[in-house]
Amino acid sequence: MRNTDLKIRVISDTLDAKAVKKFLFGNIVLIIIVLLSVTGCKKQAVNTDPGYGEGKVSILCEKQCHVSYGTADKLTEVDVDSTKGSYYFKYARNYNLVVKITPLNVDQTVNLNVFSRENKQIFGNTASIKANEVWTSTILVP
């Protein structure tokens, strides 16, 4: 007995070669674009060694004063005029910071603060200094 009313439809298991190539090419191009954009934008740390950092010197003068800071053989010189000056320096661990402050033309009160790379205050001092007299401080920055 044969059933002539039953119709069987056969679906092909083969894939269209053009569709497969188009799908793979599109995904590969997308993956390459994503990888190039992600790896090209990565910032590299300048110095990740915990022994190095950036410190800050903060000086407050009532009037005009001349400031020198740095190491004993290389000082950076700036003038502060009736304001607070904040200056940054790069240093290695156990850095001997030399700060020289000279009030110009008038006796005044000067406030000096030094901060480490963690932005922690490691030195703070206020002094009354006579005009044209040099106040020198040597601070060990950890």
Side-chain angles (χ1 to χ4, degrees):
M1 230 167 59
R2 205 169 155 181
N3 189 349
T4 56
D5 295 331
L6 183 62
K7 295 183 180 179
I8 299 175
R9 196 166 80 167
V10 177
I11 299 175
S12 173
D13 287 339
T14 62
L15 297 173
D16 184 17
K18 287 183 181 180
V20 170
K21 285 180 184 178
K22 187 176 180 181
F23 176 76
L24 288 177
F25 180 74
N27 285 340
I28 289 173
V29 169
L30 179 65
I31 290 170
I32 289 172
I33 290 171
V34 168
L35 286 176
L36 288 176
S37 66
V38 169
T39 57
C41 295
K42 182 179 179 183
K43 291 184 179 181
Q44 295 182 358
V46 175
N47 194 346
T48 57
D49 187 1
Y52 290 89
E54 183 176 72
K56 180 172 82 169
V57 175
S58 175
I59 298 134
L60 177 64
C61 293
E62 290 178 348
K63 304 286 183 189
Q64 188 176 16
C65 59
H66 181 76
V67 178
S68 301
Y69 66 94
T71 59
D73 58 341
K74 184 180 177 187
L75 293 172
T76 302
E77 298 190 10
V78 294
D79 287 325
V80 178
D81 188 18
S82 302
T83 58
K84 181 178 184 179
S86 295
Y87 306 99
Y88 295 90
F89 60 96
K90 296 196 181 295
Y91 68 96
R93 188 174 298 277
N94 297 329
Y95 180 76
N96 282 319
L97 175 67
V98 176
V99 179
K100 296 180 181 181
I101 302 173
T102 308
L104 302 176
N105 303 325
V106 65
D107 297 353
Q108 58 184 296
T109 302
V110 176
N111 186 355
L112 169 65
N113 294 303
V114 178
F115 299 89
S116 68
R117 69 181 152 270
E118 294 91 12
N119 205 21
K120 292 181 182 176
Q121 184 175 3
I122 58 169
F123 181 82
N125 198 356
T126 301
S128 295
I129 309 170
K130 295 185 180 191
N132 300 320
E133 186 176 293
V134 179
W135 177 36
T136 303
S137 294
T138 302
I139 302 136
L140 180 65
V141 183

